[in-house]
């Protein structure tokens, strides 16, 4: 039996993870954690009967405690509760699908407790990759990617003995593909939330519209596969069928293809090294007609290069970029800033920050807080 602690159970990846668990009789949910959606997590608790449930929000945890007092589930709250859920002695695998940098502390705790990590929370590696990767190595703790691009690379590398020469990450281009910077500088959130191929949460959908999501994925790939940034290419692939590719010394390229459905990478991370049947539509190549590839438009989408720049500078710079981006995306969703402001403000924050090289966890958390406060002060 594989016992799973699911951090971020009520979000898009969380609910799809539970669908995958439904298809595997040898998987059990030991812990469910979420931010504040009490109604959704109560229904999940009644269905999956976990030993522990945790709400990040203290008031939500109180409400939940009352609602599920007739069950055997112990209700925890806050970051301490997340850490306890991520380190339960009975748990084998921790799937982190929370949104934002709050995934960092429980992921570090889970690694130190020797758990296998199934990682869907990219902010953890963007902000804290310099801590998380050496720690995972020290504790011989596997980090299995859940993001579709990183899962694709992971699948392409399976069974290969040579290190790849290059990673090629595909990008759908998002809802504003083909537009100019001027055309999208004032688009409303309702347009930015219309992703052509993937159904995801609001934060990541806006990150896809600015292409910051792809920038973060480049940083994440560099950490996961110990690959220099200059050996990671991004190619726009509108159809989202090729999820990423790997090029080897002989220039042979291996790609992973499937219908765009997150249940596949989730299932692979939870069943690895096995492959099991999964409720994902098979590809119909004759109906596909075309698979297209082109270079990203860096003028319209400056966030991609900002992310690479932050990663090249290193230290606490990626953490600042990530924290500022999180705050800016929420401001944009509340219509307090324009779409064009996101990249402009990120550039300003990177100029203001003096990065700390080889940061400790506290340096990363402090830089994160600094960036959020700077943004909040400005608007
Ligand atoms: Mg992705």
């Amino acid at each position: 039996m594989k016992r799973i602690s699911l951090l971020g159970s009520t979000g898009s990846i969380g609910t799809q993870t539970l669908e995958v668990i439904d298809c595997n009789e040898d998987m059990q949910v030991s812990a469910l954690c979420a931010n504040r959606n009490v109604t959704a997590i109560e229904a999940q608790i009644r269905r999956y009967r976990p030993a522990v449930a945790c709400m990040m929000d203290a008031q939500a945890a109180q409400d939940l405690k009352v609602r599920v007092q007739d069950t055997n589930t112990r209700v925890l709250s806050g970051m301490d509760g997340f850490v306890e859920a991520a380190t339960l002695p009975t748990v084998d695998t921790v799937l982190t699908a929370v949104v934002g940098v709050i995934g960092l502390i429980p992921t570090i705790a889970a690694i130190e407790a020797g758990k296998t990590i199934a990682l869907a929370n990219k902010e953890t590696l963007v902000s804290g990759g310099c801590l998380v990767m050496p720690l995972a190595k020290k504790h011989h703790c596997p980090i299995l990617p859940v993001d579709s691009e990183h899962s694709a690379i992971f699948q392409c590398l399976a069974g290969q003995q040579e290190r790849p020469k290059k990673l090629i990450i595909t990008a759908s281009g998002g809802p504003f593909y083909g537009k100019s910077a001027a055309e999208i500088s004032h688009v409303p959130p309702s347009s930015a939330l219309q992703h052509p191929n993937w159904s995801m949460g609001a934060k990541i959908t806006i990150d896809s519209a600015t292409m910051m999501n792809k920038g973060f994925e480049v940083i994440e790939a560099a950490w996961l596969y110990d690959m220099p940034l200059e050996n990671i290419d991004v190619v726009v692939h509108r159809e989202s069928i090729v999820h990423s590719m790997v090029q080897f010394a002989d220039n042979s390229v291996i790609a992973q293809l499937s219908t765009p459905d997150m249940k596949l990478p989730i299932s692979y991370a939870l069943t690895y090294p096995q492959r099991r049947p999964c409720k994902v539509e098979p590809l119909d190549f004759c109906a596909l007609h075309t698979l297209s590839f082109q270079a990203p438009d860096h003028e319209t989408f400056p966030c991609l290069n900002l992310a690479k720049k932050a990663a090249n500078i290193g230290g606490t710079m990626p953490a600042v970029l990530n924290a500022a981006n999180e705050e800016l995306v929420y401001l944009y969703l509340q219509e307090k800033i324009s779409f064009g402001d996101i990249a402009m403000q990120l550039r300003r924050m990177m100029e203001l920050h003096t990065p700390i090289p080889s940061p400790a966890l506290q340096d990363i958390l402090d830089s994160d807080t600094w960036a959020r406060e700077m943004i909040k002060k400005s608007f």
Side-chain angles (χ1 to χ4, degrees), residues 216-288:
F216 285 162
E217 288 178 356
V218 169
I219 301 177
E220 199 185 3
W223 284 119
L224 279 171
Y225 303 108
D226 191 21
M227 183 61 69
L229 288 160
E230 60 271 23
N231 296 355
I232 305 175
D233 287 352
V234 171
V235 58
V236 174
H237 167 54
R238 293 293 288 157
E239 297 82 5
S240 292
I241 297 296
V242 176
H243 299 303
S244 277
M245 302 175 265
V246 172
Q247 188 176 44
F248 292 92
D250 57 0
N251 287 337
S252 177
V253 174
I254 296 185
Q256 185 262 333
L257 289 72
S258 73
T259 314
D261 188 326
M262 286 307 294
K263 287 196 288 297
L264 195 148
I266 293 167
S267 178
Y268 191 67
L270 291 180
T271 63
Y272 174 81
Q274 294 176 17
R275 276 188 194 276
R276 293 203 192 155
C278 179
K279 281 185 186 153
V280 172
E281 282 300 307
L283 279 177
D284 177 355
F285 280 93
C286 297
L288 279 176

Side-chain angles (χ1 to χ4, degrees), residues 122 146-150 169-170 198 200 204 208 213-214 217 220 243 262:
K122 64 191 69 177
V146 172
D147 207 348
S148 62
E149 293 79 1
H150 306 88
I169 297 179
T170 53
W198 294 97
M200 306 177 288
I204 189 173
S208 296
N213 181 55
K214 215 42 64 177
E217 288 178 356
E220 199 185 3
H243 299 303
M262 286 307 294

Side-chain angles (χ1 to χ4, degrees), residues 1-64:
M1 189 61 79
K2 181 169 272 188
R3 293 182 177 84
I4 298 161
S5 175
L6 177 53
L7 313 186
S9 67
T10 56
S12 170
I13 298 289
T15 51
Q16 292 182 81
T17 298
L18 292 171
E19 282 181 57
V20 169
I21 292 172
D22 289 341
C23 299
N24 290 277
E25 283 180 350
D26 59 351
M27 293 181 192
Q28 203 179 65
V29 180
S30 297
L32 291 170
C33 303
N35 186 21
R36 60 161 65 96
N37 190 339
V38 177
T39 310
I41 205 165
E42 183 191 350
Q44 292 177 346
I45 289 169
R46 295 196 180 282
R47 174 148 184 202
Y48 295 95
R49 312 243 153 225
V52 161
C54 181
M55 301 257 83
M56 187 53 84
D57 184 88
Q59 185 57 52
Q62 278 307 323
D63 293 352
L64 184 65

Side-chain angles (χ1 to χ4, degrees), residues 39-92:
T39 310
I41 205 165
E42 183 191 350
Q44 292 177 346
I45 289 169
R46 295 196 180 282
R47 174 148 184 202
Y48 295 95
R49 312 243 153 225
V52 161
C54 181
M55 301 257 83
M56 187 53 84
D57 184 88
Q59 185 57 52
Q62 278 307 323
D63 293 352
L64 184 65
K65 218 174 247 177
V66 175
R67 287 196 195 205
V68 299
Q69 56 188 350
D70 61 309
T71 69
N72 292 322
T73 299
R74 198 156 53 90
V75 177
L76 307 171
S77 88
M79 188 55 89
D80 290 348
F82 265 59
V83 167
E84 190 176 337
T87 56
L88 287 177
T90 50
V91 163
D92 315 290

